[in-house]
Amino acid sequence: IRLIVLVWSLSWLAVTGCAGKGEVTVVDIPNRPGSPGTLSPPSQPLRVAVEPFEDVRPHKSRLGVRSHLWGGESYFDVPGGSPSQAATQALVQFLNSKGWHAHMVKAGLGSQAADLTISGHVLALSVNAKSRVGSTTLMTGSKIVIRALNHADGSVIRMTLNGAGSDSVFWFAPEDAQQLVNDVLNDSFNQLLHSTRVEGHVVRLLEPAG
């Protein structure tokens, strides 16, 4: 019994007990295409140009922090180190998964071939983890302000897309943080589809229910 307890304790320390030393865990955003939604795609798919979002988060140096059980911290970040760029790519992938024709363009250039140009600011995007005895709690949140310009008539739609989520796991794996932050981003992007309607090649805000 003592041997089993010793082996279990050493295994536990190997997984959760090592103090963080500033290591960086890479979190892929986006990690997979958005799942098909219940909304029907436009009969004539919109051509959408998405400009890279501007990062206006208070802390731009990383995506988040993991606090380890026995003290110390390590960090989460995205490949390339630009969460705002990753969020832009996630929106492009999400829109394409819903039947729209979206692609990234350089900031300020837009696209003459597009029906809609989307730009925006990332006010918040993070994933954090805190390890305790027997569990690790993960928390993520996002806040993205977008501006959508209809090229047909010059009208503009402005929206704030908010998302938040949490999870608790026994054995922490980087994929847990990755799945949570991507699910929350996709849920926030769904707000764009559920708050608008497509008229021809123009996007309009839905009228509030009276």
Side-chain angles (χ1 to χ4, degrees):
I1 294 176
R2 291 179 179 176
L3 180 59
I4 293 174
V5 171
L6 177 61
V7 171
W8 186 92
S9 299
L10 291 174
S11 300
W12 176 261
L13 287 172
V15 175
T16 63
C18 297
K21 299 178 181 179
E23 296 92 344
V24 175
T25 298
V26 174
V27 176
D28 288 327
I29 301 175
N31 66 339
R32 59 180 174 81
S35 57
T38 57
L39 295 177
S40 298
S43 56
Q44 296 181 341
L46 286 177
R47 298 165 299 175
V48 185
V50 183
E51 298 180 353
F53 296 150
E54 182 181 351
D55 193 345
V56 294
R57 298 175 303 148
H59 306 288
K60 302 180 179 64
S61 61
R62 55 182 179 256
L63 183 64
V65 177
R66 180 187 175 193
S67 300
H68 292 257
L69 177 61
W70 305 115
E73 294 180 339
S74 57
Y75 305 102
F76 296 112
D77 211 344
V78 298
S82 176
S84 60
Q85 182 87 358
T88 309
Q89 293 170 338
L91 177 59
V92 169
Q93 180 173 281
F94 175 84
L95 292 176
N96 284 325
S97 75
K98 303 305 179 182
W100 296 25
H101 291 170
H103 63 283
M104 286 186 62
V105 297
K106 292 184 178 180
L109 295 183
S111 176
Q112 294 181 349
D115 302 307
L116 189 72
T117 294
I118 296 177
S119 57
H121 298 79
V122 177
L123 277 66
L125 179 58
S126 65
V127 59
N128 297 288
K130 185 175 181 61
S131 293
R132 299 179 175 87
V133 176
S135 69
T136 295
T137 301
L138 299 101
M139 296 160 290
T140 186
S142 66
K143 185 174 184 179
I144 303 174
V145 178
I146 65 168
R147 176 183 183 272
L149 169 65
N150 288 300
H151 291 284
D153 60 5
S155 60
V156 174
I157 291 175
R158 292 179 174 85
M159 293 182 64
T160 300
L161 308 179
N162 293 292
S166 62
D167 194 10
S168 182
V169 297
F170 184 75
W171 298 111
F172 172 79
E175 292 78 12
D176 299 323
Q178 182 169 295
Q179 188 66 51
L180 182 62
V181 68
N182 277 283
D183 286 347
V184 166
L185 273 176
N186 283 333
D187 286 344
S188 70
F189 294 153
N190 259 318
Q191 298 171 24
L192 172 62
L193 300 189
H194 286 280
S195 301
T196 59
R197 67 181 187 277
V198 178
E199 297 180 351
H201 291 279
V202 177
V203 177
R204 305 290 190 199
L205 283 174
L206 290 176
E207 295 294 333

